Amino acid sequence: MTEPAPDATSHTMHLPRFFVRQKITMMVNRFEIYAADPATGAQGQLMAFAEQKRFAFKEQVTFFEDASKTRPVFGFKARQVIDLNAGYDITDEVGAPLGFFKKDFAQSLLQTTFHVEGPGYAGSGKERSLVFALLRRFGDLPVPVHFDYVDHTGAPLLSITRKFALRDQYDVQVADPRVDFRVAAAIAVGMDVLMAR
């Protein structure tokens, strides 16, 4: 994996835009993460690869450099396996902490909501449209799922937009340079896994 440029003041790997492509098979959800070409916006280099068994307990996902799965590069894991409401720690390839996210089950009854924390910031994200959220819950309609994350001041952290396709495709834009690429990628995949898409 060619890493995004580190932030000048930290070890944060900031990538302003990337794509998450999902392929669903009978037994495995496969996620491929590609950088967006800064000049054209087209799909660029593969940044990470992950698989999650469809019927397994959703307590951990490991991201690898590529489909060979020989080098893990980051991942997320539930703090308490029995209580997924406790949230998920995001770590780098040696287990050092990068960030944290959790689903807010109470707020998610009507509009799915997640909280996120990382070095120097904390915020939350929810489905962009309450109407679409309600249609998806009560009408079982294939409406698009879009999330916007903001910090405690209301400034944007990142946004995740699902594209209509035969397989799930997410366009992730990271407005805040404090948000590490690995954190944003873990959240995008974690949301998909936890929403059982």
Side-chain angles (χ1 to χ4, degrees), residues 60-96:
Q60 182 173 0
V61 174
T62 300
F63 294 79
F64 296 89
E65 185 176 44
D66 55 38
S68 70
K69 297 194 289 186
T70 53
R71 181 193 167 198
V73 287
F74 63 96
F76 64 84
K77 184 176 182 179
R79 285 188 172 176
Q80 298 177 22
V81 174
I82 295 174
D83 180 14
L84 297 185
N85 197 31
Y88 294 79
D89 288 303
I90 306 164
T91 56
D92 68 12
E93 60 188 294
V94 297

Side-chain angles (χ1 to χ4, degrees), residues 14-159:
H14 182 243
L15 193 63
R17 187 181 183 193
F18 60 90
F19 305 108
V20 179
R21 312 288 190 205
Q22 182 188 25
K23 182 177 181 181
I24 300 173
T25 68
M26 201 64 163
M27 298 301 294
V28 174
N29 291 338
R30 182 173 294 120
F31 299 93
E32 298 169 343
I33 301 173
Y34 295 91
D37 185 289
T40 66
Q43 179 175 299
Q45 179 182 355
L46 178 69
M47 302 299 296
F49 174 91
E51 288 184 337
Q52 191 262 333
K53 292 181 180 178
R54 296 202 71 196
F55 304 106
F57 201 54
K58 299 168 182 175
E59 80 279 9
Q60 182 173 0
V61 174
T62 300
F63 294 79
F64 296 89
E65 185 176 44
D66 55 38
S68 70
K69 297 194 289 186
T70 53
R71 181 193 167 198
V73 287
F74 63 96
F76 64 84
K77 184 176 182 179
R79 285 188 172 176
Q80 298 177 22
V81 174
I82 295 174
D83 180 14
L84 297 185
N85 197 31
Y88 294 79
D89 288 303
I90 306 164
T91 56
D92 68 12
E93 60 188 294
V94 297
L98 295 171
F100 169 79
F101 72 97
K102 66 179 290 186
K103 185 175 182 180
D104 188 318
F105 284 92
Q107 291 189 36
S108 295
L109 291 174
L110 290 179
Q111 200 169 7
T112 303
T113 302
F114 288 85
H115 301 292
V116 60
E117 298 174 16
Y121 67 90
S124 61
K126 63 182 180 180
E127 290 180 83
R128 189 174 299 163
S129 168
L130 177 59
V131 172
F132 279 2
L134 295 174
L135 285 173
R136 190 170 59 80
R137 281 162 176 73
F138 303 113
D140 197 27
L141 299 174
V143 295
V145 181
H146 308 317
F147 278 81
D148 295 309
Y149 283 78
V150 297
D151 68 14
H152 68 281
T153 70
L157 292 171
L158 71 149
S159 65

Side-chain angles (χ1 to χ4, degrees), residues 173-190:
Q173 301 197 40
V174 186
D176 194 317
R178 296 174 298 176
V179 179
D180 193 291
F181 154 72
R182 296 163 292 184
V183 171
I187 290 170
V189 170

